Amino acid sequence: MTHVIITGGSSGIGLALAALYASRGARLSLIARSRNLLELAAEKLVAKHGAKAADIHIETADVANEAKIDSAIGRCVEALGPCDILVTSAGIVEPAPFLEASSEAFRRQMDTNFSGTVNAVRAVYPDMAQRGSGHIVMISSGSGLIGIYGYTAYCASKFALRGFAEALRSEARCHGVDISVGFPPDTETPQFEREIAERPPEASVVMGVVRPWSAEAVARKIADGVEKRRFEIYFGLPLFLLGRFGPAVRPLINWWFDRAIARCRGR
């Protein structure tokens, strides 16, 4: 039976993926910072998605803390066996223009989104490499493909994930371990609702033209990419074009962004 470990598994894309894998009979380990949300998530998986309580394990940990996430994942493995699929879905976003963003907020996003992913990967990768099997799925973002006004920290953290994933892929394939990195668009999650309230108007004029995806649709796309062992998982034609033809496409998009932002600012 497949053991799937999901950081950020108490809500959003992480929980949607947990529900999908629960319906397929997988064992699930969910990691997040809130035990209350984790318990609610576990109850939902049992009540609505056919999971067995014995096949769900929850752990509270902040992925930014390497020692704690390592210990939490170790307990997941003790409870349900070796990790077959790791999904690093934990992440935060605090939009603000760079001049207004605190260094603490910038560091928080880098520590959670980038270093938190690295910490989780480090906790499972040695065993996967030794076993010669396993799949690591990193959740980046469409903002990991192009810079967005007011998202300097978030974009930096998500761009960094792509570089990490590409380099690790070259190493991991030597050990029989698969790597995937996904670039989802705006997704209907509790965090997205909070983000919208803080999003600068300049960002809204360029990001608000694309309708958000549901967490369930994103989860299905990710699971399909894992099943097909795809390295890059894109969502829709614009993000596919950005990912595959970025140097050619980005100047045109940035030109349009600049014009839209200038109009928003009355210039």
Side-chain angles (χ1 to χ4, degrees):
M1 188 180 292
T2 303
H3 180 197
V4 183
I5 298 178
I6 304 174
T7 67
S10 63
S11 65
I13 295 171
L15 180 55
L17 272 166
L20 191 153
Y21 280 114
S23 69
R24 298 180 179 180
R27 293 191 177 102
L28 297 166
S29 290
L30 309 182
I31 302 173
R33 291 180 295 179
S34 169
R35 176 159 289 275
N36 287 339
L37 289 179
L38 283 167
E39 290 174 349
L40 289 172
E43 291 172 5
K44 181 178 179 180
L45 292 173
V46 171
K48 296 185 178 181
H49 300 285
K52 297 179 181 178
D55 290 333
I56 300 175
H57 183 79
I58 61 173
E59 287 286 343
T60 56
D62 184 346
V63 294
N65 187 312
E66 183 177 0
K68 289 186 177 180
I69 191 63
D70 184 72
S71 296
I73 288 178
R75 290 190 292 272
C76 294
V77 170
E78 289 177 6
L80 298 180
C83 177
D84 297 299
I85 300 173
L86 170 70
V87 180
T88 63
S89 187
I92 58 172
V93 54
E94 300 178 57
F98 185 68
L99 286 173
E100 301 172 17
S102 69
S103 59
E104 291 80 7
F106 200 104
R107 188 178 305 112
R108 225 175 3 251
Q109 291 172 84
M110 291 298 298
D111 288 348
T112 300
N113 301 342
F114 176 64
S115 296
T117 293
V118 175
N119 293 339
V121 170
R122 195 181 296 279
V124 303
Y125 179 58
D127 181 63
M128 286 183 174
Q130 185 175 27
R131 289 187 288 122
S133 68
H135 202 130
I136 294 170
V137 187
M138 306 181 204
I139 307 300
S140 180
S141 166
S143 299
L145 299 172
I146 191 166
I148 305 291
Y149 185 107
Y151 286 75
T152 50
Y154 187 72
C155 287
S157 67
K158 296 299 188 176
F159 266 80
L161 277 182
R162 181 173 188 169
F164 173 54
E166 287 192 3
L168 185 61
R169 173 189 168 277
S170 293
E171 299 179 20
R173 66 180 304 182
C174 300
H175 302 289
V177 178
D178 291 308
I179 306 294
S180 294
V181 57
F183 302 94
D186 280 345
T187 305
E188 295 168 340
T189 67
Q191 178 169 259
F192 179 63
E193 294 177 7
R194 295 189 295 270
E195 175 195 342
I196 287 295
E198 302 173 6
R199 179 175 285 180
E202 294 89 345
S204 295
V205 300
V206 298
M207 298 176 74
V209 298
V210 180
R211 185 175 181 177
W213 284 42
S214 70
E216 291 74 20
V218 169
R220 288 193 296 270
K221 191 78 169 178
I222 291 170
D224 181 66
V226 170
E227 187 174 347
K228 294 177 179 176
R229 302 176 68 181
R230 288 178 176 156
F231 170 59
E232 297 167 314
I233 303 172
Y234 296 110
F235 302 77
L237 182 61
L239 292 180
F240 172 80
L241 293 174
L242 265 176
R244 292 294 177 86
F245 307 103
V249 174
R250 273 194 296 268
L252 296 174
I253 296 177
N254 282 327
W255 174 82
W256 183 83
F257 280 2
D258 292 345
R259 288 172 63 87
I261 291 168
R263 288 195 299 270
C264 175
R265 296 172 65 87
R267 295 179 180 176

